[in-house]
Amino acid sequence: MPCKCASVSAGVLTVDVNSQPVGLVAVEVAVSRIACDVNHGVETVKPLVVDETRRWRSQHLDLPTPLVVRWPGYVELPDGDRSVVSRRVLFARDGYECQYCGFKATPGKALRQLTLDHVKPAHLFPSRAAATTWDNVTTACFACNNRKGGRLPMQAGMWPRTTPKAPEFVQLRFAGRLTEAQRNYIRDYMRLEDDLAL
């Protein structure tokens, strides 16, 4: 299924035989593996999502740029470390959107357009580290963070749109590193997994 956008990707999303997202590899690595497969007449690495607008050409080969590839085998991944709060993962968890007013930042500029807000203010905890947990932080634009200040949501009359919680595995692993086509693939995969669980 070709991608309509010509976005530049830092990497190719790899998935295992069960279509579970596994990691990112350099575009050159994925193209090299696909080219070797074509040369040997086998298909161990299968492109699932490609960008037809960017091509890799040689004397005997013309390939679209892969965005998502199925790597051979099954990979068991360890759970990511959810104890450390990072802005990159927080913003991805909240959809790059201020949880108070709904301002939507662009993923590449989120660090300049959004801030981390403590739902229960940090000064009410014994330390800033104790206040910075996944269930107490949310994404806010600069204006909303300043307006809320060091007050509780009920004092400021501002409540987050979603309840803060620990991020999902995919958010933790790939936050801020995927193209739109890769994010869509993962969304479809997560929906399929939810449907199969029913």
Side-chain angles (χ1 to χ4, degrees):
M1 93 181 133
C3 170
K4 304 277 190 250
C5 62
S7 56
V8 176
S9 171
V12 176
L13 178 65
T14 59
V15 299
D16 66 13
V17 293
N18 293 330
S19 298
Q20 176 183 344
V22 174
L24 293 168
V25 297
V27 176
E28 294 82 6
V29 171
V31 169
S32 174
R33 286 289 301 266
I34 294 167
C36 285
D37 282 0
V38 169
N39 187 40
H40 292 102
V42 296
E43 187 178 69
T44 56
V45 176
K46 179 178 175 53
L48 301 176
V49 179
V50 298
D51 181 353
E52 293 285 351
T53 63
R54 294 185 305 143
R55 305 206 55 96
W56 293 76
R57 293 184 173 94
S58 72
Q59 185 177 2
H60 304 288
L61 201 58
D62 183 10
L63 296 171
T65 299
L67 298 175
V68 179
V69 296
R70 181 173 294 134
W71 219 253
Y74 174 76
V75 179
E76 187 67 44
L77 295 171
D79 281 340
D81 181 13
R82 293 189 172 133
S83 63
V84 179
V85 174
S86 76
R87 283 175 167 73
R88 179 178 59 83
V89 177
L90 173 67
F91 298 160
R93 180 198 75 182
D94 292 342
Y96 301 98
E97 186 175 303
C98 173
Q99 294 300 295
Y100 296 110
C101 72
F103 168 76
K104 185 96 168 150
T106 52
K109 297 179 181 176
L111 290 174
R112 291 184 297 246
Q113 298 174 331
L114 298 171
T115 63
L116 175 150
D117 177 58
H118 292 89
V119 178
K120 182 178 176 185
H123 68 82
L124 299 176
F125 288 84
S127 69
R128 191 162 194 83
T132 310
T133 60
W134 287 113
D135 58 352
N136 190 48
V137 294
T138 194
T139 302
C141 65
F142 286 97
C144 287
N145 202 347
N146 286 334
R147 192 168 77 231
K148 182 175 172 283
R151 299 178 291 169
L152 291 166
M154 62 200 103
Q155 293 170 324
M158 298 170 68
W159 290 268
R161 293 171 177 219
T162 58
T163 303
K165 62 180 181 179
E168 308 257 339
F169 165 79
V170 171
Q171 294 166 334
L172 196 61
R173 188 159 181 95
F174 302 113
R177 296 184 226 170
L178 301 176
T179 65
E180 188 63 32
Q182 291 167 332
R183 283 193 294 274
N184 289 339
Y185 177 86
I186 287 178
R187 266 188 223 110
D188 291 345
Y189 168 76
M190 298 301 274
R191 262 189 235 113
L192 177 65
E193 205 173 55
D194 288 345
D195 290 345
L196 292 175
L198 295 176

